[in-house]
Amino acid sequence: MAARCQVTGAVPGFGHSISHSHRRNKRRFDPNIQKKRYFVPSLGRSVTLTLSVKGIKTIDARGIDSVIAELQAKGVKL
């Protein structure tokens, strides 16, 4: 599964993990990605989205219809 949120666009960040002796190793900071299924009344069917937790909170606040309309305007295939 790609570590990318369809709503917020969150992608992995890169950096170093630093030990106590201050040695550095490359590491990857992944967003908390979940697969979530929503019923969309305007489409009359369910849609599965790949979301970060912040994207889930955005859908809770704004509503699934407004978020889906915005994704369709961007050209995202659902």
Side-chain angles (χ1 to χ4, degrees):
M1 168 169 44
R4 180 177 187 83
C5 177
Q6 289 180 301
V7 175
T8 62
V11 293
F14 295 91
H16 292 95
S17 57
I18 302 178
S19 70
H20 180 70
S21 64
H22 218 67
R23 297 186 122 204
R24 295 178 178 162
N25 296 305
K26 290 294 258 177
R27 65 159 290 183
R28 181 173 150 152
F29 296 90
D30 285 327
N32 188 0
I33 297 293
Q34 310 288 323
K35 270 195 167 179
K36 191 120 167 84
R37 187 173 168 179
Y38 290 97
F39 179 76
V40 184
S42 60
L43 298 177
R45 64 183 178 93
S46 293
V47 172
T48 302
L49 298 173
T50 305
L51 302 169
S52 63
V53 175
K54 187 174 180 181
I56 294 171
K57 289 179 183 179
T58 301
I59 290 174
D60 289 344
R62 291 179 33 201
I64 187 67
D65 282 324
S66 103
V67 173
I68 291 294
E70 185 180 301
L71 287 175
Q72 287 178 329
K74 288 182 185 175
V76 176
K77 188 169 187 258
L78 302 171

Coordinates of all heavy atoms in Angstrom, one line a residue:
M1 N 0.8 -1.2 0.0 CA 0.0 0.0 0.0 C 0.9 1.2 0.0 O 1.9 1.3 0.8 CB -0.9 -0.1 1.2 CG -1.6 1.2 1.5 SD -2.9 1.1 2.8 CE -2.3 0.1 4.1
A2 N 0.6 2.2 -0.8 CA 1.4 3.4 -0.9 C 1.1 4.3 0.3 O 0.0 4.4 0.8 CB 1.0 4.2 -2.2
A3 N 2.2 4.8 0.9 CA 2.1 5.6 2.1 C 1.8 7.1 1.7 O 2.6 8.0 1.9 CB 3.4 5.6 2.9
R4 N 0.6 7.3 1.1 CA 0.1 8.6 0.7 C -1.4 8.7 1.0 O -2.2 7.9 0.7 CB 0.3 8.8 -0.8 CG -0.1 10.1 -1.3 CD 0.2 10.3 -2.8 NE -0.1 11.6 -3.2 CZ 0.7 12.7 -3.1 NH1 1.9 12.5 -2.5 NH2 0.4 13.8 -3.4
C5 N -1.7 9.8 1.6 CA -3.1 10.1 2.0 C -3.8 10.8 0.8 O -3.3 11.7 0.2 CB -3.2 11.0 3.2 SG -4.9 11.5 3.6
Q6 N -5.0 10.3 0.4 CA -5.7 10.8 -0.7 C -6.3 12.2 -0.4 O -6.6 12.9 -1.4 CB -6.8 9.8 -1.2 CG -6.2 8.6 -1.8 CD -7.3 7.6 -2.3 OE1 -8.1 7.2 -1.5 NE2 -7.4 7.3 -3.6
V7 N -6.6 12.5 0.8 CA -7.2 13.7 1.2 C -6.2 14.8 1.5 O -6.2 15.9 0.9 CB -8.2 13.5 2.4 CG1 -8.7 14.9 2.8 CG2 -9.3 12.6 2.0
T8 N -5.3 14.5 2.4 CA -4.3 15.6 2.8 C -3.0 15.6 1.9 O -2.3 16.5 2.0 CB -3.9 15.4 4.3 OG1 -3.3 14.1 4.4 CG2 -5.1 15.5 5.2
G9 N -2.8 14.5 1.3 CA -1.5 14.4 0.5 C -0.3 14.1 1.3 O 0.8 14.3 0.8
A10 N -0.5 13.6 2.5 CA 0.7 13.3 3.4 C 1.5 12.2 2.8 O 1.0 11.2 2.4 CB 0.2 12.9 4.8
V11 N 2.8 12.4 2.8 CA 3.8 11.4 2.2 C 4.9 11.2 3.3 O 5.0 12.0 4.2 CB 4.4 11.9 0.9 CG1 3.4 11.9 -0.2 CG2 5.1 13.2 1.1
P12 N 5.7 10.1 3.1 CA 6.7 9.9 4.1 C 7.8 11.0 4.1 O 8.1 11.6 3.1 CB 7.4 8.6 3.6 CG 6.4 7.9 2.8 CD 5.6 9.0 2.2
G13 N 8.3 11.2 5.3 CA 9.4 12.2 5.5 C 10.7 11.4 5.7 O 10.6 10.2 6.1
F14 N 11.8 11.9 5.4 CA 13.1 11.2 5.5 C 14.0 12.0 6.5 O 13.9 13.2 6.5 CB 13.7 11.0 4.2 CG 12.9 10.1 3.3 CD1 12.0 10.7 2.4 CD2 13.1 8.8 3.3 CE1 11.2 9.8 1.6 CE2 12.4 8.0 2.5 CZ 11.5 8.5 1.6
G15 N 14.8 11.3 7.2 CA 15.8 11.9 8.1 C 16.7 10.9 8.6 O 17.0 9.9 8.0
H16 N 17.2 11.2 9.8 CA 18.2 10.3 10.5 C 17.6 9.8 11.8 O 17.0 10.6 12.5 CB 19.5 11.0 10.7 CG 20.3 11.3 9.5 ND1 20.2 12.6 8.9 CD2 21.1 10.6 8.8 CE1 20.9 12.6 7.8 NE2 21.5 11.4 7.7
S17 N 17.9 8.6 12.2 CA 17.8 8.2 13.6 C 19.2 8.4 14.2 O 20.2 8.0 13.6 CB 17.3 6.8 13.7 OG 18.1 5.9 13.1
I18 N 19.2 9.0 15.4 CA 20.5 9.4 16.0 C 20.6 8.6 17.3 O 19.8 8.7 18.2 CB 20.6 10.9 16.2 CG1 20.4 11.6 14.9 CG2 21.9 11.2 16.8 CD1 20.5 13.1 15.0
S19 N 21.7 7.8 17.4 CA 21.9 7.0 18.6 C 22.5 7.9 19.7 O 22.8 9.1 19.6 CB 22.9 5.9 18.3 OG 24.2 6.5 18.1
H20 N 22.6 7.3 20.9 CA 23.2 8.0 22.0 C 24.6 8.6 21.8 O 24.9 9.7 22.2 CB 23.2 7.1 23.3 CG 23.7 7.8 24.5 ND1 23.0 8.8 25.2 CD2 24.9 7.6 25.2 CE1 23.7 9.2 26.2 NE2 24.9 8.5 26.2
S21 N 25.4 7.8 21.0 CA 26.7 8.2 20.6 C 26.7 9.2 19.4 O 27.8 9.5 18.9 CB 27.6 7.0 20.3 OG 27.1 6.3 19.2
H22 N 25.5 9.5 19.0 CA 25.3 10.5 17.9 C 25.7 10.0 16.5 O 26.0 10.7 15.6 CB 26.1 11.8 18.2 CG 25.3 13.0 17.8 ND1 24.1 13.4 18.4 CD2 25.5 13.9 16.8 CE1 23.6 14.4 17.7 NE2 24.4 14.8 16.8
R23 N 25.7 8.6 16.3 CA 25.8 8.1 15.0 C 24.5 8.2 14.3 O 23.4 8.1 14.9 CB 26.2 6.6 15.1 CG 27.5 6.4 15.8 CD 27.9 4.9 15.7 NE 29.2 4.9 15.0 CZ 29.6 3.8 14.4 NH1 29.0 2.7 14.3 NH2 30.8 3.9 13.8
R24 N 24.5 8.4 13.0 CA 23.3 8.7 12.2 C 23.1 7.6 11.2 O 24.0 7.2 10.5 CB 23.4 10.0 11.5 CG 23.5 11.2 12.5 CD 23.6 12.5 11.8 NE 23.6 13.5 12.8 CZ 24.1 14.7 12.6 NH1 24.6 15.1 11.5 NH2 24.0 15.6 13.6
N25 N 21.8 7.2 11.2 CA 21.4 6.2 10.2 C 20.1 6.7 9.5 O 19.3 7.3 10.1 CB 21.0 4.9 10.8 CG 22.2 4.2 11.5 OD1 23.2 4.0 10.8 ND2 22.1 3.9 12.8
K26 N 20.0 6.5 8.2 CA 18.9 7.0 7.4 C 17.6 6.3 7.9 O 17.7 5.1 8.2 CB 19.1 6.8 5.9 CG 20.1 7.7 5.3 CD 19.8 9.1 5.4 CE 19.3 9.6 4.0 NZ 18.9 11.0 4.0
R27 N 16.5 7.0 8.0 CA 15.3 6.4 8.3 C 14.1 7.1 7.6 O 14.3 8.2 7.1 CB 15.0 6.3 9.8 CG 14.9 7.7 10.5 CD 14.2 7.6 11.8 NE 12.8 7.3 11.6 CZ 11.9 7.2 12.6 NH1 12.3 7.4 13.8 NH2 10.6 6.9 12.3
R28 N 12.9 6.5 7.7 CA 11.8 7.0 7.0 C 10.6 7.2 8.0 O 10.3 6.3 8.8 CB 11.4 6.0 6.0 CG 10.2 6.3 5.2 CD 10.1 5.3 4.1 NE 8.7 5.1 3.7 CZ 8.3 4.7 2.5 NH1 9.2 4.4 1.6 NH2 7.1 4.6 2.3
F29 N 10.0 8.4 8.1 CA 8.9 8.7 8.9 C 7.6 8.6 8.1 O 7.3 9.4 7.4 CB 9.0 10.1 9.5 CG 10.2 10.4 10.3 CD1 11.4 10.8 9.7 CD2 10.2 10.2 11.7 CE1 12.5 11.1 10.5 CE2 11.3 10.4 12.5 CZ 12.5 10.9 11.9
D30 N 6.9 7.4 8.3 CA 5.7 7.2 7.6 C 4.5 7.8 8.3 O 4.4 7.8 9.5 CB 5.5 5.7 7.5 CG 6.4 5.0 6.5 OD1 6.7 5.6 5.5 OD2 6.7 3.8 6.7
P31 N 3.6 8.3 7.5 CA 2.3 8.8 8.0 C 1.4 7.6 8.5 O 1.6 6.5 8.0 CB 1.6 9.6 6.9 CG 2.3 9.1 5.7 CD 3.6 8.6 6.0
N32 N 0.5 7.8 9.4 CA -0.3 6.8 9.9 C -1.5 6.6 8.9 O -2.5 7.2 8.9 CB -0.9 7.2 11.2 CG -1.7 6.1 11.9 OD1 -1.8 5.0 11.4 ND2 -2.2 6.3 13.1
I33 N -1.2 5.7 7.9 CA -2.1 5.4 6.8 C -3.1 4.3 7.1 O -2.7 3.2 7.6 CB -1.3 5.1 5.5 CG1 -0.5 6.3 5.1 CG2 -2.2 4.7 4.4 CD1 -1.2 7.5 4.6
Q34 N -4.4 4.5 6.9 CA -5.4 3.5 7.1 C -6.3 3.4 5.8 O -6.4 4.4 5.1 CB -6.4 4.0 8.2 CG -5.7 4.4 9.5 CD -5.1 3.2 10.2 OE1 -5.6 2.2 10.3 NE2 -3.9 3.5 10.8
K35 N -6.8 2.2 5.6 CA -7.8 2.0 4.5 C -9.1 2.1 5.2 O -9.4 1.4 6.1 CB -7.6 0.7 3.8 CG -6.7 0.7 2.7 CD -6.9 -0.6 1.9 CE -6.1 -0.4 0.5 NZ -6.3 -1.5 -0.3
K36 N -10.0 3.0 4.7 CA -11.3 3.3 5.3 C -12.3 3.3 4.2 O -12.1 3.8 3.1 CB -11.3 4.6 6.0 CG -12.4 4.8 6.9 CD -12.0 5.0 8.3 CE -13.1 5.6 9.2 NZ -14.0 4.6 9.7
R37 N -13.5 2.6 4.5 CA -14.6 2.5 3.5 C -15.7 3.4 4.0 O -16.2 3.3 5.2 CB -15.0 1.1 3.5 CG -16.0 0.8 2.4 CD -16.2 -0.7 2.3 NE -17.4 -0.9 1.5 CZ -17.8 -2.1 1.2 NH1 -17.2 -3.2 1.7 NH2 -18.9 -2.3 0.4
Y38 N -16.2 4.3 3.1 CA -17.3 5.2 3.4 C -18.4 4.9 2.4 O -18.2 4.7 1.2 CB -16.9 6.6 3.3 CG -15.9 7.1 4.3 CD1 -14.6 7.1 4.1 CD2 -16.4 7.6 5.5 CE1 -13.7 7.6 5.1 CE2 -15.5 8.0 6.5 CZ -14.2 8.0 6.3 OH -13.3 8.5 7.2
F39 N -19.7 5.1 2.8 CA -20.8 5.1 1.9 C -21.0 6.5 1.5 O -21.2 7.4 2.4 CB -22.1 4.5 2.6 CG -23.3 4.6 1.6 CD1 -23.4 3.6 0.6 CD2 -24.2 5.5 1.8 CE1 -24.4 3.7 -0.3 CE2 -25.3 5.6 0.9 CZ -25.4 4.6 -0.1
V40 N -21.1 6.8 0.2 CA -21.3 8.2 -0.3 C -22.7 8.3 -0.9 O -23.0 7.7 -1.9 CB -20.2 8.5 -1.4 CG1 -20.3 9.9 -1.8 CG2 -18.8 8.2 -0.9
P41 N -23.6 9.0 -0.2 CA -25.0 9.1 -0.7 C -25.1 9.7 -2.1 O -25.9 9.3 -2.9 CB -25.6 10.0 0.3 CG -24.8 9.9 1.5 CD -23.4 9.7 1.1
S42 N -24.2 10.7 -2.4 CA -24.3 11.3 -3.7 C -24.0 10.4 -4.9 O -24.5 10.5 -6.0 CB -23.4 12.6 -3.8 OG -22.1 12.2 -3.6
L43 N -23.1 9.4 -4.6 CA -22.7 8.4 -5.6 C -23.6 7.2 -5.5 O -23.7 6.4 -6.5 CB -21.3 8.0 -5.5 CG -20.2 9.1 -5.6 CD1 -18.8 8.5 -5.4 CD2 -20.2 9.7 -7.0
G44 N -24.2 7.0 -4.4 CA -25.1 5.8 -4.2 C -24.3 4.5 -4.0 O -24.8 3.4 -4.2
R45 N -23.0 4.6 -3.6 CA -22.2 3.4 -3.4 C -21.1 3.7 -2.4 O -21.0 4.8 -1.9 CB -21.6 3.0 -4.7 CG -20.6 4.0 -5.3 CD -20.0 3.5 -6.6 NE -19.1 4.5 -7.2 CZ -17.8 4.4 -7.1 NH1 -17.2 3.5 -6.3 NH2 -17.1 5.4 -7.6
S46 N -20.4 2.6 -2.0 CA -19.3 2.7 -1.0 C -18.0 3.0 -1.8 O -17.8 2.6 -2.9 CB -19.1 1.5 -0.2 OG -20.3 1.3 0.6
V47 N -17.1 3.8 -1.1 CA -15.8 4.1 -1.7 C -14.8 3.8 -0.6 O -14.9 4.1 0.5 CB -15.8 5.6 -2.0 CG1 -14.4 6.1 -2.4 CG2 -16.8 6.0 -3.1
T48 N -13.7 3.1 -1.0 CA -12.6 2.8 -0.2 C -11.5 3.8 -0.4 O -11.0 4.0 -1.6 CB -12.0 1.4 -0.4 OG1 -13.1 0.5 -0.2 CG2 -10.9 1.1 0.6
L49 N -11.0 4.5 0.6 CA -10.0 5.5 0.5 C -8.8 5.2 1.4 O -8.9 4.5 2.4 CB -10.5 6.9 1.0 CG -11.7 7.5 0.2 CD1 -12.2 8.7 1.0 CD2 -11.3 7.8 -1.2
T50 N -7.6 5.6 0.9 CA -6.4 5.4 1.7 C -6.1 6.8 2.4 O -5.8 7.8 1.7 CB -5.2 5.1 0.7 OG1 -5.6 3.9 0.0 CG2 -4.0 4.8 1.5
L51 N -6.3 6.8 3.7 CA -6.3 8.1 4.4 C -5.3 8.0 5.6 O -5.0 7.0 6.2 CB -7.6 8.3 5.0 CG -8.8 8.4 4.1 CD1 -10.1 8.3 4.9 CD2 -8.7 9.6 3.2
S52 N -4.7 9.2 5.9 CA -4.0 9.4 7.1 C -5.1 9.7 8.2 O -6.2 9.9 7.9 CB -3.0 10.5 7.0 OG -3.7 11.7 6.8
V53 N -4.7 9.6 9.5 CA -5.6 9.9 10.5 C -6.1 11.3 10.5 O -7.3 11.6 10.8 CB -5.0 9.5 11.9 CG1 -5.9 9.9 13.0 CG2 -4.7 8.1 12.0
K54 N -5.3 12.2 10.0 CA -5.7 13.6 9.9 C -6.7 13.7 8.8 O -7.7 14.5 8.8 CB -4.5 14.5 9.5 CG -4.8 16.0 9.5 CD -3.6 16.8 9.4 CE -3.9 18.3 9.3 NZ -2.7 19.1 9.2
G55 N -6.6 12.9 7.7 CA -7.6 12.9 6.6 C -8.9 12.3 7.1 O -10.0 12.8 6.7
I56 N -8.9 11.4 8.0 CA -10.2 10.8 8.6 C -10.8 11.9 9.4 O -12.1 12.1 9.4 CB -9.9 9.6 9.5 CG1 -9.4 8.4 8.6 CG2 -11.1 9.2 10.3 CD1 -8.9 7.2 9.3
K57 N -10.1 12.7 10.2 CA -10.6 13.8 11.0 C -11.2 14.9 10.1 O -12.2 15.5 10.4 CB -9.6 14.4 11.9 CG -9.2 13.5 13.0 CD -8.1 14.1 13.9 CE -7.6 13.2 15.0 NZ -6.6 13.8 15.8
T58 N -10.6 15.1 8.9 CA -11.1 16.1 8.0 C -12.4 15.7 7.4 O -13.3 16.5 7.3 CB -10.1 16.2 6.8 OG1 -8.8 16.7 7.3 CG2 -10.6 17.2 5.8
I59 N -12.6 14.4 7.1 CA -13.9 13.9 6.6 C -14.9 14.0 7.7 O -16.1 14.3 7.4 CB -13.7 12.4 6.1 CG1 -12.9 12.4 4.8 CG2 -15.1 11.8 5.9 CD1 -12.6 11.1 4.3
D60 N -14.6 13.7 9.0 CA -15.5 13.8 10.1 C -16.0 15.2 10.2 O -17.2 15.5 10.5 CB -14.9 13.3 11.4 CG -14.7 11.8 11.4 OD1 -15.3 11.1 10.6 OD2 -13.9 11.4 12.3
A61 N -15.1 16.2 10.0 CA -15.4 17.6 10.2 C -16.2 18.2 9.0 O -17.2 18.9 9.2 CB -14.2 18.4 10.4
R62 N -15.8 17.9 7.8 CA -16.4 18.5 6.6 C -17.5 17.7 6.0 O -18.3 18.2 5.2 CB -15.3 18.8 5.6 CG -14.4 19.9 6.0 CD -13.3 20.1 5.0 NE -13.6 20.0 3.7 CZ -12.8 19.7 2.7 NH1 -11.5 19.7 3.0 NH2 -13.1 19.6 1.4
G63 N -17.5 16.4 6.2 CA -18.5 15.5 5.6 C -17.9 14.8 4.3 O -17.0 15.4 3.6
I64 N -18.3 13.6 4.1 CA -17.8 12.8 3.0 C -18.1 13.3 1.6 O -17.3 13.3 0.7 CB -18.2 11.3 3.1 CG1 -17.5 10.4 2.1 CG2 -19.7 11.1 3.1 CD1 -16.0 10.3 2.3
D65 N -19.3 13.9 1.5 CA -19.8 14.4 0.2 C -18.9 15.6 -0.3 O -18.5 15.6 -1.4 CB -21.2 14.9 0.2 CG -22.2 13.7 0.2 OD1 -21.9 12.7 -0.6 OD2 -23.2 13.8 0.8
S66 N -18.5 16.5 0.6 CA -17.7 17.6 0.2 C -16.3 17.2 -0.1 O -15.7 17.7 -1.1 CB -17.7 18.7 1.3 OG -16.6 18.7 2.1
V67 N -15.8 16.2 0.6 CA -14.4 15.7 0.4 C -14.3 15.0 -1.0 O -13.4 15.1 -1.8 CB -13.9 14.9 1.5 CG1 -12.6 14.2 1.2 CG2 -13.8 15.7 2.8
I68 N -15.4 14.1 -1.2 CA -15.4 13.4 -2.5 C -15.5 14.3 -3.7 O -14.9 14.1 -4.7 CB -16.6 12.4 -2.4 CG1 -16.3 11.2 -1.4 CG2 -16.8 11.8 -3.8 CD1 -15.1 10.4 -1.8
A69 N -16.4 15.4 -3.5 CA -16.5 16.3 -4.6 C -15.2 17.0 -4.9 O -14.8 17.2 -6.1 CB -17.6 17.4 -4.2
E70 N -14.4 17.3 -3.9 CA -13.1 18.0 -4.1 C -12.1 17.0 -4.7 O -11.4 17.4 -5.6 CB -12.6 18.4 -2.7 CG -11.3 19.2 -2.8 CD -10.8 19.6 -1.4 OE1 -11.5 20.3 -0.7 OE2 -9.7 19.2 -1.0
L71 N -12.2 15.7 -4.3 CA -11.3 14.7 -5.0 C -11.6 14.5 -6.4 O -10.7 14.4 -7.3 CB -11.4 13.4 -4.2 CG -10.7 13.3 -2.9 CD1 -11.0 12.0 -2.2 CD2 -9.2 13.5 -3.0
Q72 N -12.9 14.5 -6.8 CA -13.3 14.4 -8.2 C -12.9 15.6 -9.0 O -12.6 15.4 -10.2 CB -14.8 14.1 -8.3 CG -15.2 12.7 -7.8 CD -16.7 12.5 -7.9 OE1 -17.5 13.4 -7.7 NE2 -17.1 11.2 -8.1
A73 N -13.0 16.8 -8.4 CA -12.5 18.0 -9.1 C -11.0 17.9 -9.4 O -10.6 18.4 -10.4 CB -12.9 19.2 -8.2
K74 N -10.2 17.3 -8.5 CA -8.8 17.1 -8.8 C -8.5 16.0 -9.8 O -7.4 15.9 -10.3 CB -8.1 16.7 -7.5 CG -8.0 17.8 -6.5 CD -7.2 17.3 -5.3 CE -7.1 18.3 -4.2 NZ -6.5 17.7 -3.0
G75 N -9.5 15.2 -10.1 CA -9.3 14.1 -11.1 C -9.0 12.8 -10.5 O -8.5 11.9 -11.2
V76 N -9.2 12.6 -9.2 CA -8.9 11.3 -8.6 C -9.9 10.3 -8.9 O -11.1 10.6 -8.8 CB -8.8 11.5 -7.0 CG1 -8.5 10.1 -6.3 CG2 -7.7 12.4 -6.7
K77 N -9.5 9.1 -9.4 CA -10.5 8.1 -9.7 C -10.9 7.4 -8.5 O -10.1 6.9 -7.7 CB -9.9 7.1 -10.7 CG -10.9 6.1 -11.3 CD -10.3 5.4 -12.4 CE -11.3 4.5 -13.1 NZ -11.3 3.1 -12.7
L78 N -12.2 7.3 -8.2 CA -12.7 6.6 -7.0 C -13.4 5.3 -7.4 O -13.9 5.1 -8.4 CB -13.8 7.5 -6.3 CG -13.2 8.9 -5.9 CD1 -14.3 9.8 -5.5 CD2 -12.2 8.7 -4.8

